[in-house]
Amino acid sequence: MAALPSLSAQDSTSRVVALRTQHGAALLGIPRDGLRLAWRAESDDAAARLIGYQLASGDRDSALVEAEPVAGAAVGAGVAAPPSGQRRAFAVRVATSAGWSPWSAPLVVEAGVDGPELAAQVIGIDTPADGPVQLLRREFVLERAPESARLRLSALGLVDAWINGVRAGDALLTPGWTSYQRRILIDTIDVTALLRAGQNVIVLAVADGWYRGSFGFARRTAIYGDRTGALAQLEADGETVLVTDAAWRGGFGALRSASIYDGTVTDLRRRDPAIHEPGFDDGAWTPAAVIPVDPARFEPRSAPPVRVVAELPMTPSSHAGRVRLDGGQNISGWVQLVVRGRAGEVVTVRHAEVLEPSGDLHVSALRTARATDVYTLDRDGEHVLEPAFTFHGFRYADVEGADVVSATAVSISSDLAPRSSFASSHEALDRFHANVFWSQRDNFVSVPTDCPQRDERLGWTGDAQAFAATACTLMDAEAFWMSWLRDLEIDQTDAGGVPSVVPDIIRTEDMLMGGVPTENMGRAGWADAATIVPFAAYEAYGEVEVLTRQLDSMRRWVEHLRRRAGDDVVLPGGDFQYGDWLDPDAPGERPWEAKVSSDFVSNAFYAHSARLLARAERLVGDAARGADDDALADRVAAATFARWGEEAILTQTGAALAVEFGIAPEERRREIAAGLAANVRRENGRIATGFLGTPLVLFALSRYGHLDEAYLMLLRREAPSWLYQVDRGATTVWERWDAILPDGSIHSGAMDAVPTEEADREEGNMLSFNHYAYGAVIDWVYRNVAGLAPHEPGYAVTRVAPRPAVGLDSASASIQTPYGSLAIDWRLRDGVFEAEVEVPFGARAVLDLPVTDGSVVTVASASASGGEVPAELGHGIHRLTVTAPRIAQPVA
């Protein structure tokens, strides 16, 4: 390790940028536990090397105290958090071989407050489930306008706050969905600008949300409790000036019902703007009651909240006497309408993802979700209409009841920054990449849901683990996953079993598979999210914190599997498994009946989870336990392949698992990959994998050089394929490969699965046009088409390995790594491969270029022939050429 320079040595060519915490750039009131800073450094000196850093911290109003310098090329460090509710400033500078950079601009970090530290109590008034949204109100006096004010806000249910008639903050669906029985989030909102000297008023609107509303495909109510209420504490200049308690009063307003599945009913005739002004006579309102709740359930938010992330103009037309609106993109959110109507008119807005061949909205896939917003106008003239405490999955909407002046599709999501970009010469592949991004955006709404439209919208663990690697490339999702994984651990059983959905609201009697009540705990490929998702985050962001926090959960899951296997080494058959869910060749109504044996699949994931746990033990746990887990994985893999392997490898998913999870003996894997390639050639690239095989199949092909077949599969246009969806006009990823059939009709979605009690429900209908699971292929696209992949966790060392193909002769991509922007722009020009590669400061890149025996490689001013390439690249922009490159031939 290089020696640090003298503290007086200055490097004016280098600088620190983008200092932040692991919770994001702008989150107020963060948790105090495990605070970590992250930064990026830049340098104009091509010869500079990152060799150390120095932190400084202290009160933001005084000089910062410098800590001892630290050697190493780190771009993050743990620090002491400020006391609860307090702020602390941090700065960092980095050392290079030339000296010390200037100090970064200070980052002010503000700690949140845990529930037991709050004086506020949860309050509410009696309301029926799915009934009117309660309004809680209190007036208060301030002697002067504060210099700084914070509102701590949470709820049993969902809550919005207004101070003096202005909405406090821009977060939606507050406090979000967590495992409420143990963990409810507290938002901290800067409300300084909303307060004034003299009389003030605060109003809290509280809806059922996930806490009490009708939710899950069994449409249970009061899943977490039968009373909703709000928790709020207002602090001004460091003093608590107002808390929720029995002195508040409650009533009702215009919002007559608000359901996540069904939408809202709003009667504007009941709206009274005076509620938001001091002096309103609330004497007829009900006194609020304190709702007993353990304060320890409340904790500060640790990941970005849900916000509006895009607004898309909707194009109107006429259909069957209604106004048809088309936003051009399938989203999660709602329609903001400007209408012109008369007092008493009822405006109805119905939503759908796609249209029937007849042109009507396709609503059968919604099952019991009404996905309808209804408004009653209170006066003649123009109105701006918008729902609250709900969201819909839709591209189209039909409006009845008034003249539409304009319409906007409002897109919402957990507010995660985009992390990457991709473009190529293949228009359909680019559109599919965009579709995957939109499906992630639409389904990362507080938790990683399966779909945003029907009566489900649950955090399915199988979908999450399949997509986690892609999710971490497309968005800055580290804090999002860390939060969700905490709920996964909370919802683990005492015996270590992991549920199929997190937060877990499924009961055995809720889920019938083949007419049989089915336990949702411990299902292979779903429960393994306990090990797979933490490693996806670690690989993408390079921080061991996620492994440290989840190590006990990972141990409990693998031990659960070990106990189930008993003396037989492998898991016993007979338990229901989802298997390679939605294999395109499975019976449409029984999607768990895939070609590959579910026993092979379950034990392959058992071995894989044991191997991941072994890696985690070596990194952050007990190396001896890691050796034991590796030995366990070897035993399970060997027994699994001996019992089921020869039959399993005849299927695409079985072969991919055997290769990628190391289930087959090492000396057999190349042969198995060749057999998989032959299968793909015979089928002309036809996909024959479901949720579990799809993320692995292209990797199994490319690992042993079968790029022709990998591209044949990736670029196929006929059903089933990724690009078939694009050719059918998809703007997000489908749940079923053939959701729209080649003749233009819509798949029935019939499934012999979940129960029904409602007469208007189509039993077992399972059809979504917005599922991200099959979008997991985008991880392969970044690593192989673009050629950017972490060679070491967090991209400290990057593997640059682009693979051109016939029909795909240029691509560009970028990823915002912890070190900065990693980017590539390559093209084939007159039979020569040309690329420009940007490597961020502090990182290195290992080259794996598409060479043949006849290639000549040029890297900047250095050249090599015979296929030899430089070992690695340092930071900066590098221009590469390869003559006679290897070009994949995606032909059957």
Side-chain angles (χ1 to χ4, degrees):
M1 185 176 295
L4 293 175
S6 164
L7 291 177
S8 62
Q10 302 297 309
D11 177 4
S12 60
T13 68
S14 301
R15 59 205 160 268
V16 174
V17 298
L19 180 60
R20 64 178 195 132
T21 75
Q22 78 265 41
H23 304 294
L27 190 63
L28 283 178
I30 62 176
R32 299 187 64 249
D33 182 37
L35 181 62
R36 173 167 44 89
L37 299 181
W39 59 85
R40 295 202 299 269
E42 298 174 348
S43 181
D44 301 324
D45 182 357
R49 295 292 179 267
L50 189 63
I51 60 174
Y53 68 90
Q54 185 180 21
L55 295 173
S57 64
D59 187 89
R60 66 173 187 158
D61 297 322
S62 60
L64 303 185
V65 177
E66 298 175 7
E68 288 295 316
V70 178
V75 288
V79 294
S84 294
Q86 301 300 305
R87 285 172 279 181
R88 178 171 292 159
F90 296 91
V92 65
R93 63 174 179 169
V94 296
T96 74
S97 48
W100 288 92
S101 74
W103 286 97
S104 69
L107 170 71
V108 178
V109 176
E110 184 172 323
V113 177
D114 288 311
E117 299 172 297
L118 292 173
Q121 300 171 289
V122 179
I123 62 169
I125 60 174
D126 288 336
T127 60
D130 291 332
V133 168
Q134 60 177 298
L135 302 178
L136 303 171
R137 187 179 185 280
R138 182 76 190 275
E139 295 187 20
F140 59 100
V141 176
L142 295 177
E143 293 183 1
R144 58 183 177 83
E147 296 181 7
S148 176
R150 298 291 185 264
L151 178 66
R152 319 285 181 190
L153 184 65
S154 190
L156 307 181
L158 301 177
V159 61
D160 282 344
W162 285 264
I163 295 178
N164 295 323
V166 179
R167 192 171 184 273
D170 58 0
L172 302 166
L173 304 176
T174 299
W177 190 14
T178 51
S179 294
Y180 292 134
Q181 72 274 20
R182 287 267 301 278
R183 196 168 81 98
I184 305 173
L185 302 181
I186 304 169
D187 278 25
T188 295
I189 307 168
D190 185 347
V191 294
T192 308
L194 305 185
L195 297 172
R196 60 201 181 202
Q199 201 78 12
N200 293 262
V201 62
I202 181 171
V203 176
L204 309 177
V206 186
D208 292 335
W210 297 284
Y211 189 87
R212 190 182 69 166
S214 174
F215 206 70
F217 39 70
R219 296 304 298 257
R220 294 182 178 275
T221 58
I223 292 172
Y224 294 98
D226 58 4
R227 299 190 67 187
T228 56
L231 175 81
Q233 181 163 304
L234 181 63
E235 301 163 8
D237 296 330
E239 299 292 331
T240 298
V241 298
L242 183 71
V243 299
T244 43
D245 56 22
W248 289 55
R249 299 185 70 81
F252 303 104
L255 203 51
R256 308 312 297 166
S257 68
S259 163
I260 288 177
Y261 287 164
D262 295 333
T264 61
V265 175
T266 305
D267 187 344
L268 297 176
R269 296 170 300 183
R270 295 175 176 267
R271 177 176 56 181
D272 189 345
I275 292 172
H276 296 287
E277 294 296 330
F280 173 76
D281 182 8
D282 58 13
W285 282 26
T286 304
V290 172
I291 302 172
V293 184
D294 182 358
R297 291 167 65 183
F298 294 92
E299 64 178 51
R301 176 180 294 281
S302 61
V306 176
R307 293 189 174 101
V308 172
V309 294
E311 295 185 352
L312 308 175
M314 303 191 78
T315 302
S317 61
S318 178
H319 177 77
R322 308 178 185 94
V323 176
R324 165 67 48 74
L325 300 173
D326 179 1
Q329 172 64 52
N330 204 14
I331 68 166
S332 289
W334 57 78
V335 177
Q336 182 191 74
L337 275 178
V338 179
V339 302
R340 186 179 296 110
R342 302 181 64 82
E345 285 185 328
V346 176
V347 179
T348 303
V349 186
R350 295 182 175 87
H351 304 78
E353 294 183 294
V354 298
L355 302 178
E356 297 280 2
S358 65
D360 293 335
L361 298 178
H362 174 71
V363 295
S364 63
L366 299 175
R367 302 194 301 221
T368 65
R370 294 183 64 243
T372 301
D373 297 318
V374 179
Y375 308 89
T376 301
L377 305 184
D378 62 335
R379 55 179 173 77
D380 296 351
E382 283 195 1
H383 299 73
V384 178
L385 305 179
E386 211 165 2
F389 304 119
T390 191
F391 63 94
H392 312 294
F394 72 102
R395 170 178 171 171
Y396 301 96
D398 278 1
V399 181
E400 294 180 87
D403 295 330
V404 175
V405 177
S406 65
T408 302
V410 178
S411 170
I412 68 168
S413 180
S414 289
D415 192 12
L416 310 182
R419 195 187 186 209
S420 62
S421 65
F422 174 84
S424 74
S425 59
H426 200 292
E427 184 178 352
L429 182 61
D430 290 0
R431 179 66 244 191
F432 185 74
H433 175 273
N435 291 1
V436 176
F437 178 86
W438 272 103
S439 278
Q440 180 175 351
R441 171 179 273 180
D442 295 343
N443 280 292
F444 275 36
V445 179
S446 190
V447 301
T449 63
D450 58 327
C451 60
Q453 75 297 98
R454 66 183 180 225
D455 57 358
E456 197 163 346
R457 314 186 202 186
L458 304 176
W460 286 94
T461 47
D463 305 49
Q465 68 82 12
F467 189 69
T470 295
C472 290
T473 298
L474 292 178
M475 296 182 188
D476 184 2
E478 182 184 20
F480 179 88
W481 286 125
M482 293 273 286
S483 178
W484 182 74
L485 285 167
R486 287 203 50 210
D487 294 318
L488 181 148
E489 183 171 12
I490 288 170
D491 285 338
Q492 274 186 275
T493 65
D494 292 342
V498 176
S500 298
V501 300
V502 172
D504 182 25
I505 63 166
I506 292 181
R507 306 295 175 262
T508 300
E509 61 270 25
D510 295 346
M511 190 165 67
L512 302 182
M513 293 296 180
V516 178
T518 301
E519 171 61 60
N520 92 101
M521 287 286 175
R523 303 303 77 158
W526 271 249
D528 298 280
T531 55
I532 295 172
V533 175
F535 258 96
Y538 169 61
E539 294 281 357
Y541 306 112
E543 292 291 344
V544 297
E545 179 187 1
V546 64
L547 301 180
T548 302
R549 287 180 179 252
Q550 296 304 127
L551 182 60
D552 185 62
S553 170
M554 297 169 75
R555 286 172 171 171
R556 291 171 58 214
W557 167 235
V558 173
E559 187 57 33
H560 172 87
L561 292 170
R562 194 194 301 251
R563 284 196 304 271
R564 280 170 56 187
D567 295 334
D568 196 30
V569 181
V570 294
L571 297 167
D575 289 346
F576 172 82
Q577 296 287 355
Y578 301 117
D580 193 25
W581 184 259
L582 281 171
D583 175 331
D585 300 313
E589 71 282 2
R590 299 172 73 84
W592 57 89
E593 292 185 357
K595 295 182 292 295
V596 64
S597 159
S598 62
D599 291 326
F600 178 82
V601 170
S602 62
N603 283 286
F605 274 91
Y606 176 13
H608 186 53
S609 278
R611 289 197 201 285
L612 292 177
L613 176 59
R615 287 183 61 192
E617 293 286 7
R618 290 193 294 271
L619 286 164
V620 300
D622 183 330
R625 292 183 68 158
D628 178 64
D629 291 322
D630 263 333
L632 171 65
D634 289 343
R635 292 195 301 273
V636 174
T640 299
F641 195 79
R643 193 171 300 188
W644 299 287
E646 297 299 342
E647 180 180 355
I649 62 175
L650 301 178
T651 68
Q652 290 183 7
T653 292
L657 287 167
V659 170
E660 289 302 296
F661 285 0
I663 305 303
E666 188 171 1
E667 64 272 14
R668 294 283 310 277
R669 294 172 198 167
R670 184 175 295 276
E671 164 208 332
I672 293 168
L676 173 61
N679 174 294
V680 172
R681 281 196 304 275
R682 285 194 305 271
E683 297 292 331
N684 196 25
R686 180 182 183 273
I687 291 173
T689 55
F691 275 28
L692 299 185
T694 296
L696 305 173
V697 64
L698 296 192
F699 283 105
L701 289 167
S702 60
R703 180 178 295 276
Y704 290 102
H706 299 291
L707 286 163
D708 297 355
E709 291 78 16
Y711 273 110
L712 180 63
M713 183 173 276
L714 176 69
L715 302 180
R716 176 183 166 94
R717 308 299 282 261
E718 297 81 12
S721 70
W722 288 285
L723 301 188
Y724 169 80
Q725 304 176 23
V726 173
D727 290 343
R728 286 287 167 181
T731 61
T732 46
V733 182
W734 296 348
E735 179 180 25
R736 293 179 182 263
W737 291 111
D738 57 351
I740 296 178
L741 301 173
D743 64 4
S745 61
I746 297 174
H747 196 293
S748 71
M751 177 183 154
D752 183 11
V754 291
T756 180
E757 296 178 0
E758 296 82 357
D760 62 347
R761 177 173 180 169
E762 182 178 341
E763 181 167 357
N765 183 289
M766 190 188 75
L767 187 66
S768 160
F769 295 87
N770 202 347
H771 257 63
Y772 53 60
Y774 289 141
V777 71
I778 290 299
D779 183 40
W780 189 91
V781 169
Y782 271 92
R783 292 168 184 257
N784 291 273
V785 179
L788 301 179
H791 191 67
E792 292 182 4
Y795 297 86
V797 180
T798 295
R799 179 173 175 264
V800 177
R803 296 293 185 259
V806 172
L808 213 167
D809 54 17
S810 70
S812 62
S814 66
I815 300 172
Q816 292 301 316
T817 77
Y819 296 87
S821 179
L822 170 69
I824 190 170
D825 186 355
W826 67 258
R827 69 207 61 80
L828 292 173
R829 196 192 312 271
D830 299 326
V832 176
F833 175 86
E834 301 174 348
E836 184 174 279
V837 176
E838 179 183 5
V839 181
F841 185 50
R844 296 173 288 127
V846 174
L847 291 180
D848 181 3
L849 297 176
V851 298
T852 63
D853 290 342
S855 296
V856 175
V857 178
T858 302
V859 180
S861 59
S863 65
S865 61
E868 297 178 1
V869 298
E872 62 182 41
L873 304 176
H875 79 93
I877 295 176
H878 308 271
R879 291 173 177 83
L880 321 174
T881 62
V882 179
T883 64
R886 163 77 164 93
I887 302 173
Q889 308 287 324
V891 294

